[in-house]
Amino acid sequence: MGYLHIMQKYLPEIMEELKKDILKEKDSLRFLGTEEEIDHIIQKQEELVKKYILEFDGEDVLEQCEEFYREIDLPYVIVKSNFDKLKKKVIQRLVDEGSDTELILNVKKYIEKLSNAIAKVYIKKDIQVFKELENSPFVDYVLYKANLDWIKQIAKAIEKDDMSYFPLIPAKNSEFIKYLEYPESIMVCMDANLCSYLEELHDLIFKTAYSFYIFYTKGDYAESYLVEKDFIEQAFKLMKTISELYFITFSDLETNFFNLISFLASSEKRQYVSIIDIQDLKTLNKIYGEEVINHIISELENQINDFLKDKQNRTLFIKGTTANFYMFNTGCSDEDIRNFVDQISKIVNKKFVIDDKEIELKTIIGTLEIEPFSEITGDEVRRILSHLKEEAKKKERKMLLILDKEEKSEILKWINQRYQNVNFIKNSILKRNIELVFQPVINIQTGKVEFVETLVRIINDEGKLIPAGVFIDLVYDLDLIADLDSIVLELLEEKQDIISKITKNVLVNVSYKSLISQKFNKKLKEAVQNLKKINLIFELTEQQLIENISIVDKLRKEVGLKFAVDDFGAGYSSLRTVADLAEKDILGLLKIDGTLIKDIEKKENVKKIIYIISILSKSLNLKAVAESIENRDSLDVLRNVGIHYGQGFYISKPKMIEELLVEVYSEKYKNINGYSQQNF
């Protein structure tokens, strides 16, 4: 019996069986409409399938089937199940009738062809779900936009049935990975675990998309559909995660902006933070109405964003709560930031015409430079910017940029006034609310920690450590420096066991006032007796050494102390005295002033000076230490000119001794050893 006769004989029976199977799921098909509508869909499907099976090679019927499934909302899982059952029942009847193997295989392929074609229809239908993503409030933000643009390219390739539109790029080369380095992205996922999770999800979705591409280009649409389902699920999961991160960040945007400042302050890049604030806002609101002024502020925000849209890789601009706007910039020079702020100033200081009313805004911009490896916090930056705004008002200036040394000195004085509360300093010293942090001095040839420098911190009421630069002047004014230096000695006694696991050589910044204090000298002699596991080396500036040479000589003889010249090369110099101190074995180190080391790779004459200092130190049997090393290039130059010891934020920030011990045991500093030798 031929194929057509077999199908004419059994197809009504097969279709009736399929209909019963579908009706068993009738309750789950209520979303398709009324019972009559469901029956109509089942009947229409039955007619088309019958026609397709009986025609055998009916391309017209195939197109009709595709059109039918394109228009109904019948889930593909039900359609696929029906066709699998149809294929199984038809083949079974052919086998029962003794049909030859070739016919059976051809019929199998023929039914699979229809199932495959319908899978393609569902692929195109389901890809439309991604249009929902375009309604997100975060659609213009870099991480969300990067993934949305990529997804839209894939959707376009599927809609046009043209895989030349498909974005075939590795995940690591995607816009998303590039955007992760943008300030906005860092703010959104400052948590390293979250950032890693996003990258993993992103990598997974790229792999799934590539699998889809392979199956689709081979014409295996049934398999493509299954992969597409995974792709859609993963994509929505990724976009939901990004949206949640943005939502959390933007629910308290200003706080998170300044958290970003804290997070990035210790990096090796120079950074700038600006406040942009409209003056006399309350008066403007009273005169013109809040609605009008809010409209102008919104327009300003749009204009600034337009100006910054191609600068997002190094700029973050937000609308604030304690000020109208804040801006963060990185990767630029002082000149760049001056030009940048000048452009912003032109945007915000101009006249607006609203309902024939001419409204002139006067806006202040205050900008603060944050130097590499800074310990400043976001809250401190926010206070400084607020102070800059008030200072600009007093001076009647549109812009106040704190970039040069003199301007920064003024800001430091202002910070001191905030922290330098007499009772706070007195109580901190009286109650020993003092902590020590340590910065390693390494052999830059081997990476071995040869010394640690002791740095004092005051613990504030919140448990935070306040750097000495903030309070030390007041300590001198209150004549408490000898007390503070005595506490440092006591703390070194307590910590000597753990210090000795790193090095025996401890550098201590000591005041010349302490050296002439009887109380301190008594404490020093006791400490030297108790400090069995470490050796103290007191740091004094050139001027302090020279002016107190008799005391220094006496301490060397009585307690065996050695000294280091701090800030050598900073301006005050007596090489004869240095030579004499070295000859008497009082001096052990020359610490080269950090202002000479900064950007040394760009200064040929300074390289020569450092080279001369290296020769001088070797000839006097002294060890030369380069301070304030901020980058790898400076480190390489110092190696090449013969300096063997170095410290600075590029190597390590000051840390609690326990943290430092962990880094030493991890051999972190030996990684600094990789460099290329060059002749000087």
Side-chain angles (χ1 to χ4, degrees), residues 199-220:
E199 287 193 59
E200 287 171 10
L201 237 123
H202 177 259
D203 189 55
L204 175 63
I205 192 177
F206 263 69
K207 289 177 180 175
T208 305
Y210 183 68
S211 297
F212 171 85
Y213 174 83
I214 295 297
F215 286 119
Y216 195 93
T217 52
K218 288 181 178 179
D220 190 347

mmCIF file of all heavy atoms in Angstrom, residues 199-220:
data_model
loop_
_atom_site.group_PDB
_atom_site.id
_atom_site.type_symbol
_atom_site.label_atom_id
_atom_site.label_comp_id
_atom_site.label_asym_id
_atom_site.label_seq_id
_atom_site.Cartn_x
_atom_site.Cartn_y
_atom_site.Cartn_z
ATOM 1 N N GLU A 199 30.244 40.089 35.369
ATOM 2 C CA GLU A 199 31.123 39.628 34.289
ATOM 3 C C GLU A 199 30.856 38.165 33.953
ATOM 4 O O GLU A 199 30.857 37.780 32.780
ATOM 5 C CB GLU A 199 32.581 39.838 34.677
ATOM 6 C CG GLU A 199 33.023 41.291 34.646
ATOM 7 C CD GLU A 199 34.527 41.443 34.731
ATOM 8 O OE1 GLU A 199 35.237 40.902 33.860
ATOM 9 O OE2 GLU A 199 34.990 42.082 35.692
ATOM 10 N N GLU A 200 30.629 37.346 34.982
ATOM 11 C CA GLU A 200 30.343 35.923 34.749
ATOM 12 C C GLU A 200 29.032 35.757 33.985
ATOM 13 O O GLU A 200 28.944 34.956 33.048
ATOM 14 C CB GLU A 200 30.266 35.186 36.092
ATOM 15 C CG GLU A 200 31.621 34.988 36.756
ATOM 16 C CD GLU A 200 31.489 34.456 38.171
ATOM 17 O OE1 GLU A 200 30.355 34.064 38.555
ATOM 18 O OE2 GLU A 200 32.500 34.436 38.893
ATOM 19 N N LEU A 201 28.012 36.513 34.407
ATOM 20 C CA LEU A 201 26.719 36.457 33.729
ATOM 21 C C LEU A 201 26.843 36.915 32.281
ATOM 22 O O LEU A 201 26.264 36.318 31.360
ATOM 23 C CB LEU A 201 25.726 37.365 34.455
ATOM 24 C CG LEU A 201 24.462 36.653 34.937
ATOM 25 C CD1 LEU A 201 24.320 36.838 36.412
ATOM 26 C CD2 LEU A 201 23.257 37.201 34.268
ATOM 27 N N HIS A 202 27.626 37.977 32.103
ATOM 28 C CA HIS A 202 27.851 38.536 30.770
ATOM 29 C C HIS A 202 28.566 37.528 29.876
ATOM 30 O O HIS A 202 28.217 37.341 28.707
ATOM 31 C CB HIS A 202 28.673 39.822 30.916
ATOM 32 C CG HIS A 202 29.029 40.470 29.621
ATOM 33 N ND1 HIS A 202 30.271 40.353 29.046
ATOM 34 C CD2 HIS A 202 28.300 41.244 28.770
ATOM 35 C CE1 HIS A 202 30.291 41.026 27.914
ATOM 36 N NE2 HIS A 202 29.118 41.575 27.722
ATOM 37 N N ASP A 203 29.561 36.859 30.427
ATOM 38 C CA ASP A 203 30.312 35.853 29.670
ATOM 39 C C ASP A 203 29.396 34.686 29.280
ATOM 40 O O ASP A 203 29.448 34.182 28.155
ATOM 41 C CB ASP A 203 31.489 35.364 30.518
ATOM 42 C CG ASP A 203 32.433 34.476 29.725
ATOM 43 O OD1 ASP A 203 32.911 34.917 28.657
ATOM 44 O OD2 ASP A 203 32.681 33.333 30.147
ATOM 45 N N LEU A 204 28.527 34.274 30.211
ATOM 46 C CA LEU A 204 27.606 33.161 29.954
ATOM 47 C C LEU A 204 26.633 33.497 28.826
ATOM 48 O O LEU A 204 26.405 32.683 27.926
ATOM 49 C CB LEU A 204 26.835 32.828 31.233
ATOM 50 C CG LEU A 204 25.746 31.752 31.106
ATOM 51 C CD1 LEU A 204 26.368 30.414 30.706
ATOM 52 C CD2 LEU A 204 24.977 31.607 32.423
ATOM 53 N N ILE A 205 26.078 34.697 28.857
ATOM 54 C CA ILE A 205 25.092 35.081 27.839
ATOM 55 C C ILE A 205 25.742 35.160 26.460
ATOM 56 O O ILE A 205 25.124 34.836 25.446
ATOM 57 C CB ILE A 205 24.409 36.413 28.224
ATOM 58 C CG1 ILE A 205 23.187 36.663 27.345
ATOM 59 C CG2 ILE A 205 25.311 37.581 28.123
ATOM 60 C CD1 ILE A 205 22.434 37.915 27.734
ATOM 61 N N PHE A 206 27.010 35.571 26.399
ATOM 62 C CA PHE A 206 27.723 35.607 25.123
ATOM 63 C C PHE A 206 27.929 34.198 24.573
ATOM 64 O O PHE A 206 27.792 33.967 23.360
ATOM 65 C CB PHE A 206 29.064 36.319 25.286
ATOM 66 C CG PHE A 206 29.023 37.773 24.882
ATOM 67 C CD1 PHE A 206 28.316 38.691 25.628
ATOM 68 C CD2 PHE A 206 29.670 38.210 23.735
ATOM 69 C CE1 PHE A 206 28.259 40.031 25.267
ATOM 70 C CE2 PHE A 206 29.620 39.542 23.356
ATOM 71 C CZ PHE A 206 28.913 40.459 24.125
ATOM 72 N N LYS A 207 28.256 33.271 25.450
ATOM 73 C CA LYS A 207 28.434 31.874 25.011
ATOM 74 C C LYS A 207 27.120 31.296 24.500
ATOM 75 O O LYS A 207 27.093 30.581 23.489
ATOM 76 C CB LYS A 207 28.978 31.036 26.176
ATOM 77 C CG LYS A 207 30.423 31.348 26.528
ATOM 78 C CD LYS A 207 30.874 30.548 27.739
ATOM 79 C CE LYS A 207 32.327 30.874 28.085
ATOM 80 N NZ LYS A 207 32.770 30.195 29.326
ATOM 81 N N THR A 208 26.040 31.604 25.210
ATOM 82 C CA THR A 208 24.721 31.107 24.793
ATOM 83 C C THR A 208 24.326 31.709 23.446
ATOM 84 O O THR A 208 23.792 31.016 22.573
ATOM 85 C CB THR A 208 23.667 31.448 25.855
ATOM 86 O OG1 THR A 208 24.090 30.942 27.118
ATOM 87 C CG2 THR A 208 22.322 30.845 25.499
ATOM 88 N N ALA A 209 24.594 33.001 23.276
ATOM 89 C CA ALA A 209 24.271 33.670 22.006
ATOM 90 C C ALA A 209 25.047 33.036 20.853
ATOM 91 O O ALA A 209 24.502 32.852 19.756
ATOM 92 C CB ALA A 209 24.587 35.166 22.099
ATOM 93 N N TYR A 210 26.300 32.695 21.103
ATOM 94 C CA TYR A 210 27.111 32.083 20.043
ATOM 95 C C TYR A 210 26.572 30.690 19.693
ATOM 96 O O TYR A 210 26.537 30.309 18.511
ATOM 97 C CB TYR A 210 28.572 31.995 20.484
ATOM 98 C CG TYR A 210 29.481 31.442 19.416
ATOM 99 C CD1 TYR A 210 29.741 32.164 18.246
ATOM 100 C CD2 TYR A 210 30.054 30.179 19.548
ATOM 101 C CE1 TYR A 210 30.561 31.662 17.251
ATOM 102 C CE2 TYR A 210 30.877 29.660 18.555
ATOM 103 C CZ TYR A 210 31.130 30.402 17.412
ATOM 104 O OH TYR A 210 31.942 29.892 16.430
ATOM 105 N N SER A 211 26.133 29.941 20.711
ATOM 106 C CA SER A 211 25.533 28.622 20.445
ATOM 107 C C SER A 211 24.287 28.775 19.583
ATOM 108 O O SER A 211 24.060 28.000 18.640
ATOM 109 C CB SER A 211 25.162 27.930 21.767
ATOM 110 O OG SER A 211 26.307 27.678 22.537
ATOM 111 N N PHE A 212 23.477 29.776 19.901
ATOM 112 C CA PHE A 212 22.285 30.042 19.095
ATOM 113 C C PHE A 212 22.679 30.317 17.645
ATOM 114 O O PHE A 212 22.065 29.785 16.705
ATOM 115 C CB PHE A 212 21.521 31.244 19.666
ATOM 116 C CG PHE A 212 20.405 31.702 18.778
ATOM 117 C CD1 PHE A 212 19.153 31.114 18.847
ATOM 118 C CD2 PHE A 212 20.603 32.716 17.846
ATOM 119 C CE1 PHE A 212 18.124 31.531 18.013
ATOM 120 C CE2 PHE A 212 19.582 33.138 17.012
ATOM 121 C CZ PHE A 212 18.337 32.539 17.094
ATOM 122 N N TYR A 213 23.692 31.142 17.461
ATOM 123 C CA TYR A 213 24.149 31.504 16.116
ATOM 124 C C TYR A 213 24.554 30.255 15.324
ATOM 125 O O TYR A 213 24.197 30.112 14.141
ATOM 126 C CB TYR A 213 25.331 32.468 16.223
ATOM 127 C CG TYR A 213 25.991 32.795 14.906
ATOM 128 C CD1 TYR A 213 25.476 33.780 14.065
ATOM 129 C CD2 TYR A 213 27.129 32.104 14.492
ATOM 130 C CE1 TYR A 213 26.084 34.077 12.854
ATOM 131 C CE2 TYR A 213 27.745 32.394 13.283
ATOM 132 C CZ TYR A 213 27.213 33.377 12.468
ATOM 133 O OH TYR A 213 27.823 33.656 11.267
ATOM 134 N N ILE A 214 25.267 29.358 15.966
ATOM 135 C CA ILE A 214 25.730 28.127 15.287
ATOM 136 C C ILE A 214 24.540 27.301 14.820
ATOM 137 O O ILE A 214 24.465 26.880 13.653
ATOM 138 C CB ILE A 214 26.635 27.289 16.226
ATOM 139 C CG1 ILE A 214 27.930 28.052 16.555
ATOM 140 C CG2 ILE A 214 26.949 25.934 15.607
ATOM 141 C CD1 ILE A 214 28.816 28.340 15.379
ATOM 142 N N PHE A 215 23.600 27.042 15.720
ATOM 143 C CA PHE A 215 22.426 26.226 15.359
ATOM 144 C C PHE A 215 21.576 26.920 14.290
ATOM 145 O O PHE A 215 21.086 26.278 13.357
ATOM 146 C CB PHE A 215 21.567 25.936 16.596
ATOM 147 C CG PHE A 215 22.162 24.912 17.521
ATOM 148 C CD1 PHE A 215 22.475 25.230 18.830
ATOM 149 C CD2 PHE A 215 22.407 23.617 17.083
ATOM 150 C CE1 PHE A 215 23.021 24.290 19.689
ATOM 151 C CE2 PHE A 215 22.950 22.659 17.924
ATOM 152 C CZ PHE A 215 23.266 23.002 19.237
ATOM 153 N N TYR A 216 21.397 28.230 14.434
ATOM 154 C CA TYR A 216 20.536 28.961 13.503
ATOM 155 C C TYR A 216 21.129 28.970 12.097
ATOM 156 O O TYR A 216 20.399 28.772 11.107
ATOM 157 C CB TYR A 216 20.335 30.399 14.004
ATOM 158 C CG TYR A 216 19.189 31.111 13.327
ATOM 159 C CD1 TYR A 216 17.917 31.098 13.889
ATOM 160 C CD2 TYR A 216 19.374 31.808 12.138
ATOM 161 C CE1 TYR A 216 16.850 31.764 13.275
ATOM 162 C CE2 TYR A 216 18.320 32.471 11.518
ATOM 163 C CZ TYR A 216 17.062 32.442 12.085
ATOM 164 O OH TYR A 216 16.018 33.090 11.481
ATOM 165 N N THR A 217 22.421 29.203 11.988
ATOM 166 C CA THR A 217 23.047 29.238 10.661
ATOM 167 C C THR A 217 23.062 27.854 10.002
ATOM 168 O O THR A 217 23.145 27.751 8.781
ATOM 169 C CB THR A 217 24.488 29.777 10.753
ATOM 170 O OG1 THR A 217 25.217 29.060 11.746
ATOM 171 C CG2 THR A 217 24.495 31.257 11.081
ATOM 172 N N LYS A 218 22.961 26.810 10.811
ATOM 173 C CA LYS A 218 22.874 25.448 10.255
ATOM 174 C C LYS A 218 21.442 25.099 9.854
ATOM 175 O O LYS A 218 21.203 24.043 9.264
ATOM 176 C CB LYS A 218 23.369 24.430 11.291
ATOM 177 C CG LYS A 218 24.867 24.442 11.508
ATOM 178 C CD LYS A 218 25.248 23.392 12.539
ATOM 179 C CE LYS A 218 26.754 23.345 12.746
ATOM 180 N NZ LYS A 218 27.129 22.344 13.778
ATOM 181 N N GLY A 219 20.505 25.979 10.190
ATOM 182 C CA GLY A 219 19.100 25.717 9.859
ATOM 183 C C GLY A 219 18.408 24.821 10.859
ATOM 184 O O GLY A 219 17.281 24.365 10.623
ATOM 185 N N ASP A 220 19.062 24.563 12.008
ATOM 186 C CA ASP A 220 18.449 23.725 13.044
ATOM 187 C C ASP A 220 17.654 24.640 13.980
ATOM 188 O O ASP A 220 18.090 24.968 15.084
ATOM 189 C CB ASP A 220 19.546 22.978 13.812
ATOM 190 C CG ASP A 220 18.974 21.911 14.747
ATOM 191 O OD1 ASP A 220 17.754 21.932 14.977
ATOM 192 O OD2 ASP A 220 19.755 21.085 15.261
#
